Amino acid sequence: MLYAIISTDIDNSSERRSAARPAHLDRLQSLKDQARLILAGPHPAVDNEDPGGAGFTGSLVVAEFDSLKAAQRWADDDPYVAAGVYANVQVKPFKKVLP
């Protein structure tokens, strides 16, 4: 089943986010290599793909996992969590309807 992992950054997360980004992307690449990643990306703090100094306010990952528990475990092990980038992480079942 698909799960949405919806994360909200702490204030001024840019420095921590940058430091943990390579490890975070490695984990996402692993999901992609397993054909389990539907989409992933950050939420810019301003209405621009490159928010510059405004940074990001969080992230969204939609991926396939065996269970909600497995998705939660994967989310809990995210390098951004370990680095203190996220203030909150929510994992919810997701049903893709379109496209």
Side-chain angles (χ1 to χ4, degrees), residues 1-7 28 31 35-41 59-76 89-97:
M1 180 164 184
L2 296 179
Y3 295 88
I5 301 169
I6 307 153
S7 306
L28 291 171
L31 283 178
R36 295 171 44 203
L37 182 64
I38 304 303
L39 64 90
S59 300
L60 171 65
V61 174
V62 177
E64 183 178 348
F65 293 93
D66 291 335
S67 65
L68 178 59
K69 189 174 186 175
Q72 185 68 60
R73 192 170 40 249
W74 188 92
D76 290 344
V89 178
Q90 185 177 23
V91 181
K92 301 168 78 170
F94 180 80
K95 181 178 177 182
K96 183 179 176 186
V97 176

Side-chain angles (χ1 to χ4, degrees), residues 2 23 32 40 46 49 81:
L2 296 179
K32 182 180 176 196
V46 295
E49 283 193 35
V81 171

